[in-house]
mmCIF file with all atom_site columns, all heavy atoms in Angstrom:
data_model
loop_
_atom_site.group_PDB
_atom_site.id
_atom_site.type_symbol
_atom_site.label_atom_id
_atom_site.label_alt_id
_atom_site.label_comp_id
_atom_site.label_asym_id
_atom_site.label_entity_id
_atom_site.label_seq_id
_atom_site.pdbx_PDB_ins_code
_atom_site.Cartn_x
_atom_site.Cartn_y
_atom_site.Cartn_z
_atom_site.occupancy
_atom_site.B_iso_or_equiv
_atom_site.pdbx_formal_charge
_atom_site.auth_seq_id
_atom_site.auth_comp_id
_atom_site.auth_asym_id
_atom_site.auth_atom_id
_atom_site.pdbx_PDB_model_num
ATOM 1  N N   . LEU A 1 33 ? 38.250 -59.833 2.131  1.00 94.00 ? 826 LEU A N   1
ATOM 2  C CA  . LEU A 1 33 ? 38.668 -58.554 1.560  1.00 94.00 ? 826 LEU A CA  1
ATOM 3  C C   . LEU A 1 33 ? 40.083 -58.262 2.015  1.00 94.00 ? 826 LEU A C   1
ATOM 4  O O   . LEU A 1 33 ? 40.365 -58.247 3.209  1.00 94.00 ? 826 LEU A O   1
ATOM 5  C CB  . LEU A 1 33 ? 37.735 -57.420 2.010  1.00 94.00 ? 826 LEU A CB  1
ATOM 6  C CG  . LEU A 1 33 ? 38.167 -56.003 1.602  1.00 94.00 ? 826 LEU A CG  1
ATOM 7  C CD1 . LEU A 1 33 ? 38.106 -55.835 0.086  1.00 94.00 ? 826 LEU A CD1 1
ATOM 8  C CD2 . LEU A 1 33 ? 37.288 -54.950 2.287  1.00 94.00 ? 826 LEU A CD2 1
ATOM 9  N N   . VAL A 1 34 ? 40.964 -58.053 1.073  1.00 94.00 ? 827 VAL A N   1
ATOM 10 C CA  . VAL A 1 34 ? 42.339 -57.657 1.374  1.00 94.00 ? 827 VAL A CA  1
ATOM 11 C C   . VAL A 1 34 ? 42.637 -56.379 0.604  1.00 94.00 ? 827 VAL A C   1
ATOM 12 O O   . VAL A 1 34 ? 42.069 -56.132 -0.471 1.00 94.00 ? 827 VAL A O   1
ATOM 13 C CB  . VAL A 1 34 ? 43.350 -58.760 1.000  1.00 94.00 ? 827 VAL A CB  1
ATOM 14 C CG1 . VAL A 1 34 ? 43.127 -60.003 1.832  1.00 94.00 ? 827 VAL A CG1 1
ATOM 15 C CG2 . VAL A 1 34 ? 43.254 -59.099 -0.480 1.00 94.00 ? 827 VAL A CG2 1
ATOM 16 N N   . GLY A 1 35 ? 43.495 -55.553 1.150  1.00 93.00 ? 828 GLY A N   1
ATOM 17 C CA  . GLY A 1 35 ? 43.779 -54.312 0.457  1.00 93.00 ? 828 GLY A CA  1
ATOM 18 C C   . GLY A 1 35 ? 44.880 -53.514 1.116  1.00 93.00 ? 828 GLY A C   1
ATOM 19 O O   . GLY A 1 35 ? 45.578 -53.998 2.013  1.00 93.00 ? 828 GLY A O   1
ATOM 20 N N   . ALA A 1 36 ? 45.014 -52.277 0.664  1.00 94.00 ? 829 ALA A N   1
ATOM 21 C CA  . ALA A 1 36 ? 46.038 -51.381 1.186  1.00 94.00 ? 829 ALA A CA  1
ATOM 22 C C   . ALA A 1 36 ? 45.470 -49.970 1.256  1.00 94.00 ? 829 ALA A C   1
ATOM 23 O O   . ALA A 1 36 ? 44.664 -49.575 0.422  1.00 94.00 ? 829 ALA A O   1
ATOM 24 C CB  . ALA A 1 36 ? 47.287 -51.404 0.307  1.00 94.00 ? 829 ALA A CB  1
ATOM 25 N N   . VAL A 1 37 ? 45.914 -49.236 2.264  1.00 94.00 ? 830 VAL A N   1
ATOM 26 C CA  . VAL A 1 37 ? 45.515 -47.841 2.445  1.00 94.00 ? 830 VAL A CA  1
ATOM 27 C C   . VAL A 1 37 ? 46.730 -46.977 2.133  1.00 94.00 ? 830 VAL A C   1
ATOM 28 O O   . VAL A 1 37 ? 47.798 -47.173 2.726  1.00 94.00 ? 830 VAL A O   1
ATOM 29 C CB  . VAL A 1 37 ? 45.016 -47.577 3.878  1.00 94.00 ? 830 VAL A CB  1
ATOM 30 C CG1 . VAL A 1 37 ? 44.586 -46.124 4.041  1.00 94.00 ? 830 VAL A CG1 1
ATOM 31 C CG2 . VAL A 1 37 ? 43.860 -48.513 4.220  1.00 94.00 ? 830 VAL A CG2 1
ATOM 32 N N   . VAL A 1 38 ? 46.583 -46.033 1.188  1.00 93.00 ? 831 VAL A N   1
ATOM 33 C CA  . VAL A 1 38 ? 47.719 -45.218 0.768  1.00 93.00 ? 831 VAL A CA  1
ATOM 34 C C   . VAL A 1 38 ? 47.328 -43.745 0.746  1.00 93.00 ? 831 VAL A C   1
ATOM 35 O O   . VAL A 1 38 ? 46.149 -43.392 0.705  1.00 93.00 ? 831 VAL A O   1
ATOM 36 C CB  . VAL A 1 38 ? 48.232 -45.642 -0.637 1.00 93.00 ? 831 VAL A CB  1
ATOM 37 C CG1 . VAL A 1 38 ? 48.652 -47.096 -0.644 1.00 93.00 ? 831 VAL A CG1 1
ATOM 38 C CG2 . VAL A 1 38 ? 47.159 -45.396 -1.686 1.00 93.00 ? 831 VAL A CG2 1
ATOM 39 N N   . ASP A 1 39 ? 48.338 -42.906 0.777  1.00 92.00 ? 832 ASP A N   1
ATOM 40 C CA  . ASP A 1 39 ? 48.159 -41.458 0.687  1.00 92.00 ? 832 ASP A CA  1
ATOM 41 C C   . ASP A 1 39 ? 47.846 -41.091 -0.762 1.00 92.00 ? 832 ASP A C   1
ATOM 42 O O   . ASP A 1 39 ? 48.605 -41.428 -1.670 1.00 92.00 ? 832 ASP A O   1
ATOM 43 C CB  . ASP A 1 39 ? 49.437 -40.757 1.157  1.00 92.00 ? 832 ASP A CB  1
ATOM 44 C CG  . ASP A 1 39 ? 49.264 -39.242 1.285  1.00 92.00 ? 832 ASP A CG  1
ATOM 45 O OD1 . ASP A 1 39 ? 48.561 -38.654 0.440  1.00 92.00 ? 832 ASP A OD1 1
ATOM 46 O OD2 . ASP A 1 39 ? 49.837 -38.657 2.213  1.00 92.00 ? 832 ASP A OD2 1
ATOM 47 N N   . ARG A 1 40 ? 46.732 -40.432 -0.968 1.00 87.00 ? 833 ARG A N   1
ATOM 48 C CA  . ARG A 1 40 ? 46.322 -40.084 -2.332 1.00 87.00 ? 833 ARG A CA  1
ATOM 49 C C   . ARG A 1 40 ? 47.333 -39.179 -3.019 1.00 87.00 ? 833 ARG A C   1
ATOM 50 O O   . ARG A 1 40 ? 47.565 -39.293 -4.227 1.00 87.00 ? 833 ARG A O   1
ATOM 51 C CB  . ARG A 1 40 ? 44.953 -39.400 -2.282 1.00 87.00 ? 833 ARG A CB  1
ATOM 52 C CG  . ARG A 1 40 ? 44.489 -38.874 -3.610 1.00 87.00 ? 833 ARG A CG  1
ATOM 53 C CD  . ARG A 1 40 ? 43.148 -38.206 -3.464 1.00 87.00 ? 833 ARG A CD  1
ATOM 54 N NE  . ARG A 1 40 ? 42.767 -37.511 -4.673 1.00 87.00 ? 833 ARG A NE  1
ATOM 55 C CZ  . ARG A 1 40 ? 41.658 -36.814 -4.805 1.00 87.00 ? 833 ARG A CZ  1
ATOM 56 N NH1 . ARG A 1 40 ? 40.817 -36.723 -3.806 1.00 87.00 ? 833 ARG A NH1 1
ATOM 57 N NH2 . ARG A 1 40 ? 41.377 -36.208 -5.931 1.00 87.00 ? 833 ARG A NH2 1
ATOM 58 N N   . SER A 1 41 ? 47.968 -38.275 -2.295 1.00 85.00 ? 834 SER A N   1
ATOM 59 C CA  . SER A 1 41 ? 48.873 -37.302 -2.907 1.00 85.00 ? 834 SER A CA  1
ATOM 60 C C   . SER A 1 41 ? 50.227 -37.890 -3.228 1.00 85.00 ? 834 SER A C   1
ATOM 61 O O   . SER A 1 41 ? 50.837 -37.546 -4.237 1.00 85.00 ? 834 SER A O   1
ATOM 62 C CB  . SER A 1 41 ? 49.039 -36.084 -1.985 1.00 85.00 ? 834 SER A CB  1
ATOM 63 O OG  . SER A 1 41 ? 47.798 -35.448 -1.763 1.00 85.00 ? 834 SER A OG  1
ATOM 64 N N   . THR A 1 42 ? 50.738 -38.779 -2.364 1.00 88.00 ? 835 THR A N   1
ATOM 65 C CA  . THR A 1 42 ? 52.103 -39.286 -2.522 1.00 88.00 ? 835 THR A CA  1
ATOM 66 C C   . THR A 1 42 ? 52.180 -40.755 -2.884 1.00 88.00 ? 835 THR A C   1
ATOM 67 O O   . THR A 1 42 ? 53.251 -41.258 -3.199 1.00 88.00 ? 835 THR A O   1
ATOM 68 C CB  . THR A 1 42 ? 52.888 -39.068 -1.215 1.00 88.00 ? 835 THR A CB  1
ATOM 69 O OG1 . THR A 1 42 ? 52.312 -39.875 -0.167 1.00 88.00 ? 835 THR A OG1 1
ATOM 70 C CG2 . THR A 1 42 ? 52.855 -37.596 -0.801 1.00 88.00 ? 835 THR A CG2 1
ATOM 71 N N   . SER A 1 43 ? 51.053 -41.478 -2.784 1.00 86.00 ? 836 SER A N   1
ATOM 72 C CA  . SER A 1 43 ? 51.001 -42.931 -3.012 1.00 86.00 ? 836 SER A CA  1
ATOM 73 C C   . SER A 1 43 ? 51.790 -43.708 -1.955 1.00 86.00 ? 836 SER A C   1
ATOM 74 O O   . SER A 1 43 ? 52.075 -44.892 -2.146 1.00 86.00 ? 836 SER A O   1
ATOM 75 C CB  . SER A 1 43 ? 51.508 -43.293 -4.417 1.00 86.00 ? 836 SER A CB  1
ATOM 76 O OG  . SER A 1 43 ? 50.670 -42.732 -5.412 1.00 86.00 ? 836 SER A OG  1
ATOM 77 N N   . ALA A 1 44 ? 52.158 -43.057 -0.852 1.00 91.00 ? 837 ALA A N   1
ATOM 78 C CA  . ALA A 1 44 ? 52.876 -43.734 0.221  1.00 91.00 ? 837 ALA A CA  1
ATOM 79 C C   . ALA A 1 44 ? 51.890 -44.541 1.078  1.00 91.00 ? 837 ALA A C   1
ATOM 80 O O   . ALA A 1 44 ? 50.754 -44.113 1.291  1.00 91.00 ? 837 ALA A O   1
ATOM 81 C CB  . ALA A 1 44 ? 53.605 -42.717 1.097  1.00 91.00 ? 837 ALA A CB  1
ATOM 82 N N   . PRO A 1 45 ? 52.284 -45.724 1.557  1.00 93.00 ? 838 PRO A N   1
ATOM 83 C CA  . PRO A 1 45 ? 51.384 -46.517 2.405  1.00 93.00 ? 838 PRO A CA  1
ATOM 84 C C   . PRO A 1 45 ? 51.115 -45.813 3.733  1.00 93.00 ? 838 PRO A C   1
ATOM 85 O O   . PRO A 1 45 ? 51.960 -45.086 4.246  1.00 93.00 ? 838 PRO A O   1
ATOM 86 C CB  . PRO A 1 45 ? 52.165 -47.824 2.609  1.00 93.00 ? 838 PRO A CB  1
ATOM 87 C CG  . PRO A 1 45 ? 53.597 -47.458 2.389  1.00 93.00 ? 838 PRO A CG  1
ATOM 88 C CD  . PRO A 1 45 ? 53.581 -46.379 1.343  1.00 93.00 ? 838 PRO A CD  1
#
Side-chain angles (χ1 to χ4, degrees):
L826 173 66
V827 296
V830 181
V831 301
D832 188 322
R833 174 181 171 182
S834 300
T835 65
S836 297

